[in-house]
């Protein structure tokens, strides 16, 4: 299996208003992310029973694609703006071991 570069990020918002504003920031940022060729998956989730938490799963073709994503103006803007809405951010980098993902050929 081709190894990508992945991470989970857990954001905790200050309050319900901050969560709405954070979600709006994410929506604006996604407009730019959709054109990044090396960004394979970029999804925001709200855990059940945790309305102030957002968990992002991000999958990139490789570490270079992740760095290209980080250097985009829309990403830099989000990184600057997001802190005003949050009480904490936890980043977890992941090593791919098995699974099905976009762009991966299925074994016969």
């Amino acid at each position: 299996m081709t190894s990508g570069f992945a991470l989970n990020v857990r954001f905790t918002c200050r309050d319900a208003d901050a969560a709405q504003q954070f979600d709006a920031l994410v929506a604006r940022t996604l407009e730019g992310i959709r054109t990044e060729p090396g960004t394979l998956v970029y999804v925001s989730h709200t855990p059940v029973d945790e309305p102030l938490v957002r968990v992002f799963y991000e999958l990139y073709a490789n570490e270079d694609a992740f760095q290209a994503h980080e250097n985009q103006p829309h990403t830099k803007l989000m990184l600057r703006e997001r802190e005003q809405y949050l009480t904490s951010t936890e980043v977890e980098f992941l090593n791919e071991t098995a699974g099905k993902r976009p762009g991966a050929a299925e074994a016969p």
Side-chain angles (χ1 to χ4, degrees), residues 2-7 38-41 57-67 70 92-96 101:
T2 303
S3 181
F5 186 84
L7 58 145
T39 301
L40 305 177
V41 177
Y57 176 71
E58 303 175 32
L59 176 63
Y60 301 91
N62 51 44
E63 192 168 352
D64 289 342
F66 170 70
Q67 289 304 324
E70 291 287 291
E92 178 179 47
F93 292 95
L94 306 169
N95 290 320
E96 184 175 349
R101 62 182 189 84

Side-chain angles (χ1 to χ4, degrees), residues 22-94:
F22 180 77
D23 291 343
L25 174 63
V26 171
R28 288 190 304 274
T29 305
L30 276 168
E31 293 173 18
I33 291 171
R34 285 187 179 101
T35 65
E36 297 174 1
T39 301
L40 305 177
V41 177
Y42 191 97
V43 181
S44 175
H45 305 270
T46 301
V48 174
D49 298 326
E50 293 186 90
L52 299 182
V53 174
R54 301 297 181 266
V55 177
F56 283 33
Y57 176 71
E58 303 175 32
L59 176 63
Y60 301 91
N62 51 44
E63 192 168 352
D64 289 342
F66 170 70
Q67 289 304 324
H69 161 77
E70 291 287 291
N71 290 325
Q72 295 299 312
H74 52 265
T75 302
K76 288 182 178 183
L77 178 64
M78 181 180 171
L79 294 174
R80 280 193 311 270
E81 295 290 320
R82 70 182 184 186
E83 296 307 316
Q84 64 187 311
Y85 308 121
L86 305 174
T87 60
S88 68
T89 302
E90 301 168 43
V91 180
E92 178 179 47
F93 292 95
L94 306 169

